[in-house]
Amino acid sequence: MRVITGIYKGRHFEVPRNFKARPTTDFAKENLFNVLNGYLDFEEQPTALDLFAGTGSITIELLSRGCGKVISVERDMQHFRFINQVVSSLKASNSFPIHTDVFRYLPRCNEQFDFIFADPPYALEKLTELPDLIFSHNLLRPDGLFVLEHGKTNEFGRHPNFIEHRAYGSVNFSFFKAKETTTG
């Protein structure tokens, strides 16, 4: 696993061979972050939530680019320990890995984020429920961004918060935006 840019640029972390996680490819990750630069100002130290964190690749990239706080949610104990090990080696005090199931965490979360990323297993039965869970629990700040990584069989274009879709090989990203609140 390689960090693409930022303060940890070029750092490599050896992912154990027996991992069940499917990390986002470097090609897809690099393109994703190129797109994110148009949505997020990393100099403003946005807060982020990484769901189904797996290897922690996205978490580390977010920290490297300047996120002020990153919470990583991972259910698998081996993956959770690996994320903790990497974060500890970086001395990243603004990273908060949490060992729990995403579907238990979301209803209990009482924070809002500038950016939420989710990379569930593509065959996850509840994958299509994730956008509604994010928005129904008000987890994004006004104008916040949610990106869902998924396989080619999922289509979110009709979701009221959907803004765009990007595909990089077999990796698909659907982008959703929180509506800005207006005062009247």
Side-chain angles (χ1 to χ4, degrees), residues 113-128:
F113 302 90
D114 299 301
F115 176 63
I116 298 175
F117 179 79
D119 180 10
Y122 289 179
L124 181 71
E125 217 172 279
K126 296 180 180 181
L127 184 144
T128 58

Side-chain angles (χ1 to χ4, degrees), residues 48-60 62-63 69-75 79-80 83-84 87 94-100 102 105 113 117:
L49 176 62
D50 183 6
L51 302 172
F52 306 93
T55 63
S57 174
I58 298 297
T59 291
I60 302 310
L62 289 165
L63 291 167
K69 177 181 184 178
V70 180
I71 294 177
S72 315
V73 180
E74 177 53 53
R75 182 181 70 181
H79 300 177
F80 172 74
I83 294 167
N84 269 324
V87 165
N94 55 339
S95 175
F96 303 92
I98 296 175
H99 178 241
T100 190
V102 166
Y105 175 80
F113 302 90
F117 179 79

